[in-house]
Amino acid sequence: MSVVGGVDVDRVLLKHGAGGRAMRRLISETFLAAFATDPPERAGLLGVSAMDDGGAVRLGDRWLVMTTDSHVIQPAFFPGGDIGRLAIAGTVNDLAMMGATEILGLTCGVVIEEGFPRADLERIAASMRAACAEASATVIAGDTKVMGVREVDGIVINTSGVGLTRRLIRDCGLRAGDRIIVTGTIGDHGMAVMASRHGLQLDSDLRSDVAPLAALIRGAIEASPDGITAMKDPTRGGVAGALHEMASKSGVGIEIVDAALPVRPAVRGVSELVGVDPLFAANEGKAVIGVRRESADAVLRALRAHPLGRDAAIVGACVADHSGTVILDTGFGRRLVAEPDGDLLPRIC
Amino acid sequence: MPLEFRDPARAAALRDALARATARVGRERVSLMHVCGSHEQAIAKFGLRAAFPPALDVIMGPGCPVCVTDQPEIDEAVALAAQGVRIATYGDMVRVPGTAGSLADAQARGARIDVVYSVAQAVEIARATTEPFVFFATGFETTAVATAAVLIGGVPPNFSVLSAHKYIPPVMEIVAEMPGTRVEGFLAAGHAATITGSATFEPFVERHALPVVVAGFEPLDILAALVKLVELVGRGEAAVVNMFPRCVTREGNVNAQRQLWTVFEPIGGRWRGIAHVPNGNLRLRDAWAAVDARRRFTIDAASLWRQAPSSLVRQCICGHIMAGIASPADCALFGAACVPDSPVGACMVSSEGTCRIWHEYGGVPDLRGAACPS
Amino acid sequence: MCLGVPGLVVEIDELTATVDFWGVRRRVRLDLADEPVAVGDYVLNHVGFAIRRIPPADVETTLALYEQLLKEANADLMAADVRGEIDAS
C-alpha cells in the first residue's frame, strides 16, 4: 500500500466514481490509455478521448451514436423513481445529448445479488418498460447474472443504446456570447437520494426528476437545428460539473446568475439545512444546453412547450474571459463555482 | 422570514456604508478576522468578498471544527473503526485525513461508519443494535451542547462518545497574542454566542483592547456587522457589540450552558495548525466516564499523541495563515506536497479553508469585474 | 458553530417539535431551548436541536438595527460633507 499524505494511492476509492476531477483522472490514466484511438480524433469517429456523453461513428450522411451506463444507485427505489427508470433514462439522455433522439435500440444487462426479491425485480422491469415507452425506445438485447450474497450490492444494471443523428452535438462547441439554458429545476435527484440515503429524517416532497428526454430535446433541436452548440446532462457532479466540463472543453468562461436558476423550494430548504449546494446535486431528467444568442428564445419556447421543460430558463452566458471557469452572480457579490469532487455529504459547518 | 435578511437593496446600501466606513479609517489595509466556518461559507456562498472595499481584509481564523480536528483525534476514531467498533459521525468529518487515512478510507477497507445529521440520530441507531457504538463527536460549543443533551437524557448501554469537541473563545486569545498579528477586530460567531452569550467576550476585549462584534449569517447580518466593526476600529474603541440580537443575548442560553458544563470540562489540547490551545478542548467529566469511549476502549492514545509531527507537518504554516501573518503563497508546501487530495494542514482540509479556496480557484481572483451580460 | 437554520414550529410532542423549513419538515429536540416553545414560534435549529426561540419582535428589531446603522453612516457622510464645505469657505 502506498500512502501519500494519508491517502492510499494504490486503490480505487469511492470518489473515483463521483463524476468529478478524481474520476476524470482515473479514466484518463487507465482507460484512455487503453482505449484511445490513434490519432485521438479522426474524421468519422468520435472515441473515448473526447469523454463526451457517448461515442459516434459516421454512417453515410448520419452519425451512429453509442453509449453505455452502469447503474449502482442505492437505494434501488427512491422517491420519484427506481434504478430501472434511471437506467433507461440515463442511456436515452446520453444519446439525446449528442443529438441522437431517434433511438434504434437499447440493451440491458443485470447483475443481481442472491436473495433479491422477485417482486422488486418485477417492479424494476415494469419501470423500464414504462420509461422505454416514454422514449419510444425498445430493449432488444440483454444479459442476466446472479452473484452470491454480499458479492454484489442488490442489483447493478448496465444499459447501452444506439441512435442516429444528422448533426452530432458535442459538449465542446460553446462560443463567447452563447446562452446557457437549463431545462428545468436543478438538484432534484441528488438531493432526494442524499436525503433518503443518509437518513436525514426529513419530511418533504423531494422527488427525483428521473425521466427520458428524447422528445423534449428533439423539439428543441427542431426549433433551431444549428443554434444549439453544446449539450450535456448534469448527472453526477450536477450543473456545476457539466458547466465546468463544457467551459474547459470549449475554451470559454461561463457566467451564471443565481436568481435565474430554477430551484424547487424543498430543494432550497434541504440545501439550507444540510449545506449542500443544488448546483452540485445530480439531475436525471434535465439538460444543460448551450445555444447561440439569437436562437435562445426559440429554443426556450420549444422547451417550455413540453411537460418536462416547463421550468426551462436561461441561466447565464459564455464569455471570452477566464476560460474554463464558472462564475456565479449571487445577487450580493460574485464567486467562483468550484469543480465538484466527491460525493455529496451533509455538513454541519 | 430569513429571506428578509437577503434583500439586495439593503445589501447594496450596507455595502456602500462599508466602503465609506473603511475609507474613513484612512489606512491602506484594515484586517479583521472571523472565527467561524459558517461565516466563511456564507461569505463565499454569497460572493461577498467581491463586494468588500479593496482595503478591507476579512481573514478566516481557526473557526472550522473540521479543519482544526488534529490527526491523532482522527487516528483514534480510525483505530476504533479498524477494531470493529461501529462509528457514527457528522458528514464533514468522514474525509479528514489522519496519520494513516480517514474514516472514509477505513470504510473502504470494511469499517462500519454511519453518517448522521444529529447525535440524537446516532443514539437511535445505537438503540436498534447491541454492538458497541461510538459517536465521534466533533464541533464547537454550539454542537457540543447537543452531545451533552443526549447524554443527560440517557443513552443505551452500547453507546459511548469519543469527544473531539472544541471551545472557541480560547483560540481568539492565541490569535490576539501571536507576535506579528495584524488582526484589529473580530467577528464573533453568532450561533456559538447564542449558547455562550455576548458577555463571554467582554474579558477578551478588555485584555486585548480589540473590538468584537457578534454577527449572524445572512448577507445583511454579515455586512452590517462589518460596518459596525470597521467603525469601532476606526474610532479605536474596544467594545463588544451584539449585531445578532434576534438570537444572541448578553447572558446567552443558560439552559444549554448548564447542560454543556454538566457533561464537559475544558482542557488544553492540540488544534491542527495551531498547536496547543489552553482550555480549547472539551473532555467528558469523570462523572461521565462510563460513556467516554476513551475510557471504555483501549486506544493507545498516549503513543498517538506522542508521535513526532512528520517533517511535512513541521513545515506547515497554517497557524500564521489563520492569524493573517502569512498567505498560502508563502507556504513551501502549498500546491505541491499539500493539495486537497493529500492535505497537510487545517487550511487545506476544509472546503472553507483559506488554502483550499486558493488552490481551487488558483489564487484569489479579482471578481469585481464586469457584470454578467444580460 | 455552524449551520443554525431558523424554522417554524408546526407541532409539539413533549420534548420534540416538528419544524418547517421552506416546506421541508424535520423533528427537532427542545431539550436545549432557552425558553418554552409553542406552536407558531420560530426556532433556531442546529444538528436537530432548537438552541434558541426567536421572538418575532426581534426580527423587527434586527431590521431596525440595520436601518439605524445606515442612518448613522449617512449622517457621518453628511457631517463630512458639511465639514468639507466649512473648511472650503
Side-chain angles (χ1 to χ4, degrees):
Chain A
M1 180 174 94
S2 310
V3 175
V4 175
V7 175
D8 185 349
V9 296
D10 285 344
R11 293 161 78 108
V12 175
L13 304 171
L14 276 177
K15 70 173 175 183
H16 287 122
R21 261 180 307 208
M23 185 174 92
R24 280 201 304 282
R25 257 208 315 272
L26 177 76
I27 293 173
S28 64
E29 283 166 15
T30 305
F31 296 108
L32 291 197
F35 304 139
T37 53
D38 182 15
E41 284 198 35
R42 55 171 192 262
L45 175 73
L46 184 70
V48 290
S49 306
M51 302 232 306
D52 207 325
D53 291 310
V57 176
R58 216 154 197 9
L59 203 66
D61 65 345
R62 292 204 250 187
W63 288 88
L64 182 79
V65 183
M66 301 199 299
T67 188
T68 186
D69 264 305
S70 296
H71 305 275
V72 299
I73 192 169
Q74 287 291 344
F77 297 93
F78 43 85
D82 59 49
I83 191 173
R85 183 170 176 76
L86 184 65
I88 298 297
T91 290
V92 165
N93 294 347
D94 277 341
L95 292 174
M97 292 303 99
M98 310 283 293
T101 57
E102 311 299 337
I103 298 168
L104 295 179
L106 304 172
T107 72
C108 167
V110 295
V111 180
I112 312 169
E113 182 184 14
E114 182 177 13
F116 195 81
R118 287 289 296 267
D120 286 354
L121 198 57
E122 304 288 343
R123 274 175 72 190
I124 289 169
S127 259
M128 295 179 83
R129 186 175 58 243
C132 282
E134 286 170 50
S136 307
T138 320
V139 173
I140 62 174
D143 181 74
T144 311
K145 295 285 185 294
V146 178
M147 296 183 77
V149 176
R150 279 190 292 278
E151 287 179 355
V152 69
D153 194 2
I155 183 168
V156 174
I157 303 181
N158 171 279
T159 43
S160 67
V162 178
L164 285 175
T165 180
R166 278 190 204 287
R167 182 177 156 241
L168 196 63
I169 300 178
R170 305 275 302 275
D171 59 0
C172 57
L174 295 174
R175 287 206 308 247
D178 285 356
R179 288 338 194 215
I180 300 290
I181 292 178
V182 293
T183 59
T185 55
I186 68 169
D188 299 0
H189 176 84
M191 289 300 211
V193 170
M194 183 203 63
S196 68
R197 183 188 296 155
H198 289 298
L200 294 171
Q201 300 174 320
L202 298 171
D203 176 15
S204 74
D205 60 352
L206 282 178
R207 304 177 76 237
S208 168
D209 60 346
V210 55
L213 301 176
L216 175 74
I217 300 300
R218 189 179 314 131
I221 296 174
E222 279 168 8
S224 179
D226 297 313
I228 291 179
T229 54
M231 281 201 292
K232 201 152 190 73
D233 59 339
T235 53
R236 288 185 165 179
V239 169
L243 288 177
H244 266 284
E245 269 207 68
M246 293 165 89
S248 53
K249 284 178 179 176
S250 306
V252 296
I254 294 180
E255 303 203 349
I256 54 176
V257 178
D258 189 72
L261 291 170
V263 182
R264 295 184 60 228
V267 170
R268 264 223 197 279
V270 175
S271 164
E272 297 281 339
L273 274 174
V274 299
V276 176
D277 191 340
L279 279 170
F280 295 120
N283 306 267
E284 298 290 344
K286 303 290 176 345
V288 175
I289 304 178
V291 55
R292 291 273 175 271
R293 182 185 188 156
E294 54 274 13
S295 311
D297 287 338
V299 170
L300 193 64
R301 258 197 315 274
L303 290 169
R304 286 186 173 163
H306 190 281
L308 292 174
R310 294 263 183 269
D311 296 314
I314 299 175
V315 300
C318 303
V319 296
D321 313 313
H322 54 82
S323 159
T325 58
V326 181
I327 288 184
L328 176 73
D329 177 338
T330 65
F332 303 95
R334 282 150 62 80
R335 67 170 171 93
L336 281 161
V337 176
E339 266 193 85
D341 186 26
D343 269 330
L344 299 180
L345 280 173
R347 35 170 210 100
I348 55 159
C349 177
Chain B
M1 178 199 70
L3 296 173
E4 295 187 54
F5 301 100
R6 294 190 188 182
D7 169 26
R10 279 198 182 95
L14 285 168
R15 229 172 25 230
D16 290 340
L18 183 60
R20 290 197 301 271
T22 308
R24 269 200 299 278
V25 175
R27 278 189 265 112
E28 234 176 67
R29 178 139 154 199
V30 177
S31 291
L32 307 175
M33 176 178 281
H34 73 77
V35 286
C36 178
S38 281
H39 270 146
E40 186 62 26
Q41 188 69 18
I43 290 169
K45 171 176 168 176
F46 292 106
L48 293 181
R49 279 207 178 78
F52 292 163
L56 181 64
D57 195 9
V58 179
I59 306 160
M60 176 170 176
C64 173
V66 174
C67 305
V68 300
T69 302
D70 205 359
Q71 287 205 339
E73 292 176 302
I74 309 292
D75 292 346
E76 285 178 305
V78 172
L80 271 180
Q83 278 168 231
V85 178
R86 191 165 166 187
I87 310 277
T89 190
Y90 296 120
D92 37 3
M93 287 312 301
V94 171
R95 287 185 272 190
V96 179
T99 312
S102 65
L103 286 171
D105 296 326
Q107 192 176 39
R109 290 192 291 268
R112 307 191 58 202
I113 315 289
D114 293 282
V115 170
V116 295
Y117 169 77
S118 169
V119 59
Q121 205 178 336
V123 174
E124 277 174 38
I125 300 175
R127 259 191 234 289
T129 178
T130 49
E131 58 185 326
F133 196 97
V134 169
F135 180 66
F136 181 35
T138 57
F140 291 121
E141 52 269 32
T142 336
T143 318
V145 293
T147 308
V150 299
L151 289 176
I152 289 172
V155 294
N158 58 335
F159 186 91
S160 60
V161 171
L162 179 66
S163 174
H165 280 310
K166 298 193 165 33
Y167 189 50
I168 266 283
V171 87
M172 289 167 65
E173 303 275 348
I174 302 257
V175 172
E177 284 161 15
M178 261 174 141
T181 185
R182 280 195 305 237
V183 177
E184 304 171 72
F186 284 86
L187 271 190
H191 295 144
T194 302
I195 304 291
T196 58
S198 59
T200 314
F201 305 107
E202 284 164 13
F204 170 86
V205 163
E206 238 194 75
R207 249 200 309 278
H208 297 285
L210 293 171
V212 172
V213 173
V214 182
F217 298 86
E218 292 288 314
L220 294 199
D221 293 327
I222 295 171
L223 288 169
L226 285 172
V227 172
K228 180 57 73 177
L229 187 55
V230 169
E231 285 178 355
L232 292 171
V233 167
R235 292 200 291 268
E237 190 180 326
V240 179
V241 176
N242 178 10
M243 292 296 287
F244 194 31
R246 66 188 186 276
C247 287
V248 177
T249 60
R250 208 178 149 264
E251 57 286 336
N253 181 338
V254 173
N255 177 26
Q257 286 169 36
R258 189 182 37 81
Q259 297 188 50
L260 178 69
W261 301 122
T262 297
V263 172
F264 290 102
E265 60 186 356
I267 57 165
R270 221 160 85 185
W271 286 32
R272 194 198 284 251
I274 299 270
H276 189 80
V277 181
N279 292 321
N281 286 19
L282 295 176
R283 167 192 183 270
L284 287 160
R285 290 184 188 272
D286 291 339
W288 299 87
V291 289
D292 185 343
R294 288 195 180 95
R295 283 176 267 201
R296 185 183 286 200
F297 297 95
T298 310
I299 322 170
D300 195 0
S303 75
L304 285 170
W305 286 91
R306 267 203 305 272
Q307 244 180 37
S310 73
S311 68
L312 281 181
V313 169
R314 272 184 267 122
Q315 292 174 70
C316 173
I317 61 168
C318 274
H320 289 166
I321 291 172
M322 286 173 190
I325 301 169
S327 80
D330 300 326
C331 179
L333 306 176
F334 175 72
C338 185
V339 288
D341 272 352
S342 58
V344 175
C347 306
M348 189 63 84
V349 172
S350 164
S351 55
E352 294 122 25
T354 311
C355 297
R356 174 65 169 263
I357 291 171
W358 277 54
H359 191 272
E360 273 191 17
Y361 303 152
V364 179
D366 178 6
L367 290 180
R368 302 167 215 275
C372 295
S374 54
Chain C
M1 293 251 7
C2 315
L3 276 190
V5 188
L8 179 66
V9 176
V10 297
E11 208 181 290
I12 295 188
D13 179 14
E14 293 183 3
L15 266 184
T16 308
T18 302
V19 180
D20 183 290
F21 308 89
W22 296 272
V24 177
R25 292 176 173 200
R26 197 183 193 278
R27 286 158 69 77
V28 171
R29 292 268 291 260
L30 298 176
D31 320 40
L32 295 168
D34 53 342
E35 287 178 328
V37 171
V39 171
D41 280 343
Y42 280 98
V43 290
L44 185 69
N45 158 66
H46 177 65
V47 297
F49 285 78
I51 59 173
R52 162 82 174 172
R53 175 184 166 269
I54 306 174
D58 282 2
V59 174
E60 283 309 310
T61 311
T62 308
L63 288 171
L65 186 67
Y66 298 159
E67 294 303 314
Q68 183 62 25
L69 188 72
L70 286 170
K71 249 198 291 244
E72 285 167 9
N74 281 333
D76 280 350
L77 187 67
M78 280 169 56
D81 286 346
V82 169
R83 266 201 301 282
E85 282 181 43
I86 292 175
D87 286 346
S89 64

